[in-house]
Amino acid sequence: MPATSRTVTTVRWILRIVLAVQALGLGAQYLWSDFEGESDIYGLLFFDLGLPEARALAVEDLGTWLYVIVGLALLVLPLVDRVSRPGARGTDARGTDAAGPGASESASGARRWLRRGALSLEVAGLLWLVVWHLAISSLQAYRGGSFMAEWTVAAHAVRIFAPLALLVLLGSAEASLGATRLRTAGWILALASAATFATHGVEAIRQNPQFVDLLIGSAEHLLGLRITQEATTVVLWVIGIIDLVLAVVVPLTLLRVLTVYMSVWGFVTAASRITAAGTAGLAWAYPDTLVRAANGGVPLALCVLTSALAAEGGLFRKTQSQTSQSSTSQLPTSEPKVEKQDEKVALPVDSK
Amino acid sequence: MKKWLSPWTRNDEFRCAAYVLAVFALVSLAGSATAKADAPLEGTRPAQWRLIWTTNPDASATLSWNTAEPGSRHVALLRKRGDADQRTIEAESGQYGDHSVYFHHARLTDLEPETIYEVQMVSDDQKSSTFWFVTAPTRDRPFSLFFGGDSRSDSSTRRAVNQMMAAHVAESGSDDDPANDVLALVHGGDYIVSGRNFDQWSQWMSDHELTVSADGQLLPIIPARGNHDGGPLFDQVFAFPEGDLNYYTTRIGEQLTLVTLNSETSVSGDQAVWLESQLKQARPASRWLLAQYHRPAYPAVKTPGRALLYWVPLFEKYNVDLVCEADGHVIKRTVPIRDNKHDPTGVVYIGEGGLGVGQRTPKSDRWYLQPPGMAGKGHHVQLLTFRSDRLDYQCILLGGEVADTYSRPVREAK
């Protein structure tokens, strides 16, 4: 498998894992943890629109269960591609069934339908993840009640747009992936990371009281240190400035070292929900950490993608090869002939 | 797949970025809802009055009102009932943001405890009716307080609850049992949906007029800030200095210390240090030790607030008797809690807010709501009666039905 294909496959798997963890976090928040609550979707339906409570809860639960199922299915659906593509068990490299040409034709048709079905599910599922999280975040912004609530969509950008990036990157590892799609995914990951970091940066500079408590609580539980609120003011200023600088510089430069920092910091801040709460608060803090998996996961995906993007001239510049080809130009593939045959059914499902 | 993703493959990266930004912009714009206000504000006629208690209600109070025009002179006329002498107190005035409504705060100081005062608000040549209020006692006598939260969202229900409280104050104040005298309303926050929306505040202030009894008795309010009360208007409505931290201690004689906390700012930093200092002072001095704030440590529907980590250990250390919480839109009374377990020596958490907001179904399966704790739903206010030997609690539903009762004896001195 060429290096670029391996990179894209890795990015897909990072995003799949991030979305699965995020889905588990959302499920814990709104469905099954000891302190599960309701989102602003329930709030809108019940408090603002006057829907009966049971119906509002049913809508919320249904949407969230669907979100969880899709999140977990993202880890399973690539297997469908694996078992149904040419060369899989029971077929030869061209997809011919061992039982003979007649059986081969029908088996090939079944495989096509299987892969097409899996693809359809995956595309619909990813769109659902975008829609449902966008609904939760935008309603949180609309209904207010938290620090800088009106910025919620930007703060949640990595969670909302991670599925979109995966959607753009969907495709068989050996299949062609247009440079434009690669770059589009890069833009989505970069802008989402930038939006989340910029918002958190502003929140830090404006001394989001929750951030103050996360710092004080984490220092106490991890280091046994009691730091003052005055000290956190300075620390949050520094954190905020760094976040804002990264939000501007990373999409422009795609410097790998900066994306590594973003990823590490994103995971650290997600984990701070647990470290600040300590063991006593683990039962209600862990969903908050899981649902923030994309805070580190999306910059990590961007970090891995940077090499592939660099080969294409970065986010802005088009390469000579791209300008001379159509927008559906192909990346190197290991099995061009077989893939050309497969292009007819165009089943962009993962494989390893 | 190619067909489905064709817009992405055809468009260049700048189109993609523009699309993403457009989604952001649309969603951000959606966050500006407004509510219609119907407050009767005309010229410099005083309206939307409220009496605010904070630290020393036996000797001070703040009388606030609004006018539609800025006016030039705003004063409160104050006298003890039966006295001929009248004090004129100049009000501090200002404007609510860029709205054409003006607040006036008259700081009433040097008051005598347990005394009836009559007040009139005067803005230029416009005078309000004469109202009256009673200052808090300093002597050891029984009394009552209302606690409630979450008067947001539904103005008509809020008005009904306000009228119920006014009727209760008038009725209980006229009987012979001083324990029934309701001194004030302790409000746990979330007055309105959006703290930056003045129209909603204006409506709330008009509705709050209905807490005044038929014969003109003002019901003082002891306000806490809720998560929907963000922004500067809260301070302007309740006469706090600009940028105030909104946590303070109210002492009523030697009987009660009530600590009002702000769960919407850092709970672990300076506020936790301050809380410990207040509790340390109060525990030996006061018979009853209470705290109030908005986001629950032991919620009946939501995730625990940060108070659970930083305030609850202090409540238990200093043996707070009762903690009043809001935010959940249900009725709740927990079992006494210590070390996160049911313990008869522990702290009881009540409240969750029912002064007007729609009521939801509590998650009654949580361990701290099991009997002898309680959880339910219904618009309500909670009545706390402080006696020399016990604290009585009642949850009164809109309509007068009592949904829950509880008593706890005075803690034995250690």
Side-chain angles (χ1 to χ4, degrees):
Chain A
M1 189 189 294
T4 304
S5 295
R6 275 203 303 274
T7 299
V8 171
T9 302
T10 307
V11 170
R12 286 186 200 127
W13 275 104
I14 289 170
L15 292 174
R16 286 176 189 284
I17 292 167
V18 161
L19 289 170
V21 173
Q22 181 173 300
L24 289 173
L26 204 75
Q29 277 186 328
Y30 301 130
L31 293 172
W32 61 70
S33 74
D34 289 349
F35 294 100
E36 55 90 12
E38 282 77 39
S39 75
D40 282 296
I41 291 174
Y42 160 89
L44 177 85
L45 296 174
F46 177 52
F47 289 116
D48 303 346
L49 300 180
L51 211 65
E53 188 179 20
R55 206 170 296 173
L57 276 173
V59 171
E60 164 139 319
D61 286 356
L62 185 68
T64 309
W65 272 118
L66 200 53
Y67 193 101
V68 173
I69 290 165
V70 168
L72 297 178
L74 290 175
L75 300 177
V76 178
L77 285 171
L79 300 177
V80 176
D81 176 64
R82 196 164 187 177
V83 299
S84 61
R85 72 191 163 121
R89 202 171 174 180
T91 64
D92 63 22
R94 292 178 182 277
T96 307
D97 198 285
S104 167
E105 199 174 319
S106 65
S108 174
R111 282 197 301 273
R112 273 202 300 274
W113 280 106
L114 185 62
R115 295 176 72 185
R116 188 168 289 170
L119 169 68
S120 304
L121 280 175
E122 197 157 29
V123 170
L126 287 169
L127 289 174
W128 178 250
L129 298 191
V130 175
V131 167
W132 191 249
H133 221 309
L134 187 60
I136 289 175
S137 304
S138 53
L139 286 174
Q140 197 173 325
Y142 172 72
R143 299 188 76 245
S146 58
F147 188 82
M148 286 177 58
E150 61 276 19
W151 290 52
T152 305
V153 174
H156 292 179
V158 287
R159 306 183 207 177
I160 297 165
F161 291 103
L164 208 56
L166 181 56
L167 188 65
V168 172
L169 287 174
L170 279 183
S172 185
E174 295 83 1
S176 64
L177 185 68
T180 305
R181 274 170 62 183
L182 195 67
R183 210 176 269 136
T184 302
W187 268 113
I188 293 172
L189 294 172
L191 286 179
S193 301
T196 297
F197 268 69
T199 309
H200 288 164
V202 173
E203 287 184 64
I205 288 168
R206 292 180 62 183
Q207 302 291 308
N208 181 336
Q210 192 178 8
F211 291 2
V212 173
D213 291 338
L214 289 174
L215 273 175
I216 291 175
S218 296
E220 199 168 316
H221 289 117
L222 292 177
L223 307 172
L225 283 177
R226 175 75 195 171
I227 56 173
T228 63
Q229 192 167 337
E230 195 179 2
T232 64
T233 304
V234 178
V235 174
L236 284 177
W237 258 96
V238 173
I239 290 170
I241 296 291
I242 292 172
D243 281 1
L244 283 174
V245 169
L246 288 170
V248 174
V249 173
V250 164
L252 296 176
T253 65
L254 282 190
L255 279 174
R256 199 162 201 174
V257 65
L258 298 184
T259 58
V260 169
Y261 172 86
M262 279 178 118
S263 177
V264 171
W265 185 243
F267 285 126
V268 165
T269 54
S272 69
R273 268 67 190 174
I274 287 177
T275 56
T279 49
L282 188 63
W284 51 270
Y286 84 87
D288 284 353
T289 290
L290 296 185
V291 86
R292 286 171 174 77
N295 285 15
V298 165
L300 178 63
L302 181 63
C303 173
V304 173
L305 200 63
T306 49
S307 60
L309 286 167
E312 293 298 324
L315 286 174
F316 291 99
R317 198 155 48 88
K318 290 185 176 179
T319 59
Q320 196 177 351
S321 63
Q322 191 195 356
T323 51
S324 64
Q325 292 176 25
S326 70
S327 62
T328 55
S329 65
Q330 314 238 320
L331 294 175
T333 60
S334 58
E335 296 171 296
K337 287 181 181 175
V338 173
E339 282 310 318
K340 195 171 181 182
Q341 186 184 4
D342 252 22
E343 284 285 320
K344 292 175 186 171
V345 291
L347 295 173
V349 181
D350 261 3
S351 69
K352 267 194 162 179
Chain B
M1 184 66 203
K2 269 188 174 175
K3 191 179 174 186
W4 291 359
L5 293 181
S6 59
W8 295 99
T9 55
R10 279 202 302 270
N11 294 342
D12 64 17
E13 57 271 26
F14 294 103
R15 274 187 171 174
C16 166
Y19 175 78
V20 173
L21 290 173
V23 171
F24 271 86
L26 282 172
V27 172
S28 301
L29 283 172
S32 54
T34 56
K36 189 175 178 296
D38 61 2
L41 284 163
E42 294 168 358
T44 57
R45 185 176 141 198
Q48 301 182 331
W49 37 79
R50 60 256 179 221
L51 187 74
I52 300 144
W53 278 5
T54 52
T55 51
N56 297 306
D58 55 284
S60 65
T62 301
L63 181 66
S64 298
W65 69 97
N66 296 341
T67 56
E69 291 177 8
S72 56
R73 186 161 188 255
H74 306 275
V75 297
L77 305 178
L78 177 78
R79 69 175 171 208
K80 276 165 52 176
R81 180 169 280 178
D83 271 14
D85 293 344
Q86 180 172 270
R87 288 164 59 190
T88 301
I89 297 156
E90 297 281 342
E92 306 158 9
S93 297
Q95 187 176 357
Y96 291 103
D98 56 359
H99 301 277
S100 298
V101 181
Y102 302 85
F103 59 81
H104 314 287
H105 302 309
R107 312 282 179 183
L108 314 181
T109 56
D110 301 321
L111 305 177
E112 294 175 21
E114 214 176 340
T115 302
I116 296 176
Y117 283 91
E118 293 178 343
V119 286
Q120 254 186 313
M121 292 154 270
V122 183
S123 286
D124 291 347
D125 58 346
Q126 299 279 323
K127 276 187 179 179
S128 71
S129 307
T130 300
F131 298 93
W132 62 278
F133 67 94
V134 188
T135 51
T138 52
R139 70 184 173 100
D140 191 353
R141 56 152 282 193
F143 60 86
S144 294
L145 292 173
F146 276 137
F147 170 72
D150 298 271
S151 47
R152 69 183 182 90
S153 299
D154 184 351
S155 173
S156 60
T157 310
R158 175 166 69 208
R159 293 166 81 91
V161 177
N162 286 348
Q163 286 169 324
M164 180 180 80
M165 286 192 288
H168 186 101
V169 169
E171 189 181 335
S172 59
S174 61
D175 68 20
D176 294 335
D177 186 353
N180 292 336
D181 296 349
V182 180
L183 302 187
L185 165 64
V186 180
H187 198 305
D190 273 10
Y191 306 80
I192 55 166
V193 174
S194 175
R196 295 177 192 278
N197 186 322
F198 180 73
D199 290 343
Q200 292 179 13
W201 275 115
S202 182
Q203 183 67 58
W204 182 88
M205 289 186 277
S206 291
D207 295 346
H208 185 71
E209 291 176 8
L210 298 177
T211 60
V212 178
S213 67
D215 66 346
Q217 183 179 4
L218 294 163
L219 177 65
I221 185 168
I222 302 174
R225 191 190 273 265
N227 64 306
H228 283 271
D229 307 322
L233 293 173
F234 174 87
D235 287 339
Q236 294 175 337
V237 168
F238 293 115
F240 289 105
E242 187 181 343
D244 193 78
L245 296 169
N246 304 134
Y247 49 84
Y248 55 93
T249 299
T250 307
R251 289 193 177 82
I252 299 182
E254 291 187 355
Q255 297 98 302
L256 172 67
T257 294
L258 168 68
V259 183
T260 295
L261 294 161
N262 182 358
S263 59
E264 307 316 305
T265 183
S266 168
V267 302
S268 65
D270 297 343
Q271 191 172 195
V273 175
W274 175 86
L275 172 63
E276 175 146 34
S277 72
Q278 297 301 298
L279 296 179
K280 197 172 184 177
Q281 283 176 30
R283 186 66 276 182
S286 289
R287 179 182 300 139
W288 302 107
L289 187 46
L290 269 69
Q292 72 138 343
Y293 50 85
H294 188 69
R295 285 199 194 202
Y298 287 98
V301 284
K302 296 187 181 179
T303 303
R306 288 166 283 149
L308 180 60
L309 296 172
Y310 301 101
W311 294 347
V312 167
L314 297 175
F315 296 155
E316 294 178 4
K317 181 178 177 183
Y318 293 99
N319 288 313
V320 170
D321 295 293
L322 200 70
V323 172
C324 307
E325 303 179 320
D327 193 39
H329 312 169
V330 295
I331 301 167
K332 75 118 183 271
R333 176 175 52 78
T334 70
V335 298
I337 299 170
R338 189 179 292 281
D339 293 331
N340 216 31
K341 292 194 294 278
H342 181 187
D343 182 333
T345 71
V347 183
V348 173
Y349 299 79
I350 64 157
E352 294 253 355
L355 293 180
V357 76
Q359 293 288 290
R360 68 210 297 185
T361 304
K363 299 183 192 303
S364 306
D365 56 342
R366 294 185 178 178
W367 67 267
Y368 44 80
L369 300 176
Q370 305 302 307
M374 176 271 182
K377 63 193 283 190
H379 301 292
H380 66 277
V381 66
Q382 289 160 323
L383 180 68
L384 307 173
T385 302
F386 300 87
R387 303 177 193 276
S388 59
D389 59 341
R390 68 179 195 277
L391 193 170
D392 291 333
Y393 158 88
Q394 285 186 315
C395 177
I396 304 171
L397 297 177
L398 185 59
E401 185 188 344
V402 175
D404 184 32
T405 60
Y406 169 74
S407 283
R408 75 174 307 162
V410 176
R411 288 183 186 275
E412 289 178 16
K414 288 189 175 176

